[in-house]
Amino acid sequence: MGLTNSSIGIKAIDLGLDIKKQSQNDKVIALAGNPNVGKSTVFNELTGMNQHTGNWPGKTVTTAQGYCSTKNQSYVFVDIPGTYSLMAHSAEEEVARNFICFGNPDAVVVVCDATCLERNLNLVLQTMEICNNVVVCINLMDEAKRKNIKIDLKKISERLGVPVVGTIARKKKSLTELMDTVDKVTDGRVKPHPLRIHYEKKIEEAIAILEPVIEEKLGNKINSRWVSLKLLDQDNSLITEINTRLNVDPFEDKEINEALDEAKDVLSEYGIHSENLKDKIVSTLVQEAENVCKDAVIFEREGYNASDRRIDKLLTSKATGYPVMLALLALVFWLTITGSNYPSQLLADFFFWIQNRLTDFFLYVNAPKWLHGILVLGVFRVLAWVVSVMLPPMAIFFPLFTLLEDAGYLPRIAYNLDKTFKRCCACGKQALTMCMGYIILKIEKPHFLLIIYFLNDNC
Ligand SMILES: Nc1nc2c(ncn2[C@@H]2O[C@H](COP(=O)(O)OP(=O)(O)OP(=O)(O)O)[C@@H](O)[C@H]2O)c(=O)[nH]1
Ligand SMILES: [Mg+2]
């Protein structure tokens, strides 16, 4: 379950914003998107690499780079961690935001989940505020079809002003159109004209005061309209990044500060402060996403996800979430720790039967006692103990955990425990690694005890 060289692909190293091109002409494509929408699956199919994929959000936590070519162009693809927005709240989201803002990709492919497109468009709209070369890849079209969701890709594309392609990332063939579109966008045959978000009048007035000053200071290194909005929104982590990467400290610059004060005065005249500004920005984006999807995403079956919602309620509500979680985890732990005793015993019996046969053989050939001691009582017995103690719990625990992951239950455990873990300055996702740590300790403990027993016995 842990990350290994092979599981992440030997070349899939976290290079941050440092792009390793194979040739000077390589174009850089960022694969962005909400968590768990299939970015790494698209990345693996296109680059032939083996990035970790899994059915829970937050599988990818660092960037990975891979190479892929079409007839016309060679590309460096960068798989970035999933993020719900560019208002980064966690380290992974900062990695994603930084790459989109400061990585200078030639195009950004925003991968979306076709079964909840409207929610995913939030990130698309924010990405389009920063760069023009955006391609929207609506993935999981097979899941949408299964849920009777019809998506009018043409309409969505016209409304967004950028190319939109439908894909099923697990089928490589379905990615051909995506690559054709990326070719067209990067070589200029298709020029996206991204929809510009218009915030309410007072916010636009404030942006208009700040934008020319920012443009003068930062040039075309980053979209000045977007930075103005972020300055008004007091996005301190972005401001720190601008300072580090572009060598301009907006909070220290006199002219920026003057313009910022003036813009803030305009906002406060209308009763807009940092607390409600974010809400207003988010609600404009949500409204815009709703407009884009109107009549373009059709749910043919009313209550198409009613059963999902019912199961969600059972698994995450206050009354039933914890009992179900505790019962399920207790069952998994019981099967792993106690249940595995039976196959362990069977394996041990089998190995000791072999050990007796080996001993008979050594007696039969009159082998010296020390040779029997080293080979049979030493090497074979230790191996037999390790295998019989460790194999069954692992063979039970990891498939069970994978089943829970595939069924989508692990993110729900993380959700249930998030509040509690946050009180200890941790986050709900850590519950999953804690479960694995607990099991490994449980499995390893008897293993160590056996080795100590063996050493005591023989020394
Ligand atoms: N049915 C179906 N499943 C898909 C498709 N694309 C990806 N998946 C599955 O969706 C799950 C999530 O895929 P990932 O590639 O790990 O998603 P991700 O966006 O990289 O996730 P994070 O790294 O957590 O942000 C995996 O179980 C994939 O096998 C698709 O088109 N159809
Ligand atoms: Mg991923």
Side-chain angles (χ1 to χ4, degrees):
M1 271 243 165
L3 294 178
T4 61
N5 252 356
S6 63
S7 69
I8 62 170
I10 200 82
K11 291 173 280 178
I13 34 175
D14 174 28
L15 296 167
L17 301 188
D18 182 18
I19 303 292
K20 296 267 181 265
K21 291 186 179 181
Q22 283 179 326
S23 98
Q24 272 309 307
N25 300 328
D26 281 0
K27 300 254 170 162
V28 179
I29 310 293
L31 273 174
N34 284 188
N36 210 30
V37 294
K39 298 176 295 301
S40 299
T41 312
V42 172
F43 176 83
N44 289 345
E45 289 296 336
L46 292 176
T47 61
M49 288 183 54
N50 200 13
Q51 262 282 84
H52 236 243
T53 63
N55 190 17
W56 66 295
K59 202 80 190 173
T60 307
V61 290
T62 58
T63 61
Q65 297 177 26
Y67 304 95
C68 135
S69 305
T70 61
K71 272 185 279 167
N72 311 324
Q73 182 63 52
S74 52
Y75 295 101
V76 184
F77 268 81
V78 186
D79 182 24
I80 56 182
T83 179
Y84 290 105
S85 83
L86 295 179
M87 302 162 185
H89 295 296
S90 65
E92 304 99 272
E93 289 189 344
E94 274 184 28
V95 173
R97 194 251 345 252
N98 288 347
F99 194 84
I100 295 173
C101 295
F102 307 104
N104 288 324
D106 292 284
V108 180
V109 173
V110 188
V111 184
C112 299
D113 179 346
T115 63
C116 46
L117 184 60
E118 195 176 311
R119 195 182 67 196
N120 283 228
L121 284 186
N122 196 339
L123 182 71
V124 175
L125 295 171
Q126 289 183 57
T127 310
M128 293 189 333
E129 285 188 298
I130 302 175
C131 37
N132 284 341
N133 277 0
V134 172
V135 174
V136 177
C137 162
I138 304 186
N139 191 37
L140 292 137
M141 289 298 277
D142 54 336
E143 284 294 310
K145 193 172 171 200
R146 203 175 57 81
K147 292 182 173 175
N148 286 344
I149 302 170
K150 283 232 160 83
I151 300 175
D152 187 337
L153 300 175
K154 202 163 160 252
K155 221 180 227 176
I156 303 265
S157 170
E158 280 164 10
R159 288 177 183 172
L160 288 174
V162 299
V164 174
V165 183
T167 60
I168 302 168
R170 284 176 178 172
K171 295 183 183 162
K172 193 171 182 183
K173 250 188 175 172
S174 83
L175 299 176
T176 317
E177 194 191 337
L178 175 68
M179 286 316 296
D180 284 347
T181 312
V182 170
D183 269 352
K184 286 179 189 158
V185 168
T186 50
D187 67 15
R189 273 179 288 159
V190 167
K191 274 217 175 311
H193 297 285
L195 165 77
R196 287 282 160 247
I197 312 286
H198 292 286
Y199 297 95
E200 54 186 88
K201 202 165 151 259
K202 316 111 194 190
I203 301 177
E204 288 294 338
E205 258 178 56
I207 294 175
I209 296 171
L210 208 45
E211 195 183 342
V213 186
I214 300 289
E215 194 165 1
E216 196 191 314
K217 299 284 168 186
L218 299 181
N220 58 0
K221 288 181 202 150
I222 187 167
N223 185 298
S224 43
R225 176 184 157 83
W226 187 71
V227 173
S228 309
L229 191 66
K230 296 287 113 184
L231 268 176
L232 291 168
D233 188 24
Q234 292 186 347
D235 187 339
N236 290 336
S237 102
L238 179 79
I239 308 301
T240 314
E241 288 299 328
I242 290 180
N243 188 12
T244 326
R245 297 180 193 278
L246 307 180
N247 265 333
V248 176
D249 185 351
F251 288 141
E252 290 296 316
D253 187 285
K254 192 167 158 273
E255 285 158 53
I256 294 181
N257 268 316
E258 279 171 10
L260 186 58
D261 286 343
E262 195 187 329
K264 277 186 177 166
D265 285 346
V266 169
L267 288 182
S268 57
E269 254 176 55
Y270 294 105
I272 302 176
H273 302 284
S274 52
E275 301 85 48
N276 56 2
L277 177 64
K278 197 177 244 86
D279 291 346
K280 286 181 187 291
I281 296 173
V282 172
S283 57
T284 309
L285 290 168
V286 168
Q287 184 59 52
E288 205 65 64
E290 201 182 314
N291 294 343
V292 171
C293 289
K294 204 171 178 193
D295 307 327
V297 180
I298 296 156
F299 299 93
E300 288 191 330
R301 184 154 38 99
E302 276 299 314
Y304 72 102
N305 63 354
S307 57
D308 286 6
R309 294 282 78 85
R310 264 199 303 274
I311 296 172
D312 251 359
K313 212 169 170 192
L314 176 79
L315 299 179
T316 56
S317 76
K318 268 190 189 146
T320 51
Y322 264 76
V324 171
M325 180 184 71
L326 291 176
L328 258 175
L329 285 179
L331 179 70
V332 170
F333 288 158
W334 183 83
L335 284 174
T336 308
I337 295 162
T338 311
S340 66
N341 284 340
Y342 302 100
S344 277
Q345 190 56 51
L346 283 175
L347 268 177
D349 290 347
F350 172 67
F351 283 129
F352 287 116
W353 179 82
I354 293 185
Q355 184 188 311
N356 290 341
R357 299 294 74 75
L358 285 172
T359 303
D360 290 346
F361 174 74
F362 274 73
L363 286 175
Y364 177 74
V365 296
N366 253 339
K369 219 175 159 197
W370 59 265
L371 189 65
H372 174 258
I374 289 177
L375 292 181
V376 179
L377 301 182
V379 176
F380 180 80
R381 194 195 281 187
V382 169
L383 265 177
W385 269 338
V386 170
V387 171
S388 48
V389 170
M390 300 219 14
L391 185 65
M394 283 194 194
I396 292 173
F397 178 72
F398 287 113
L400 278 180
F401 227 55
T402 309
L403 268 181
L404 289 183
E405 175 179 345
D406 282 346
Y409 188 58
L410 293 192
R412 272 131 190 118
I413 295 183
Y415 170 81
N416 285 341
L417 291 172
D418 199 51
K419 238 184 191 164
T420 319
F421 272 60
K422 277 218 165 109
R423 289 203 186 109
C424 316
C425 298
C427 76
K429 280 186 218 166
Q430 281 164 292
L432 309 173
T433 30
M434 274 180 73
C435 287
M436 280 193 247
Y438 174 72
I439 284 294
I440 286 167
L441 260 182
K442 274 275 175 196
I443 299 170
E444 287 285 347
K445 201 167 123 196
H447 172 204
F448 283 130
L449 289 179
L450 276 172
I451 289 176
I452 290 165
Y453 165 77
F454 170 79
L455 290 174
N456 271 343
D457 207 28
N458 287 277
C459 300

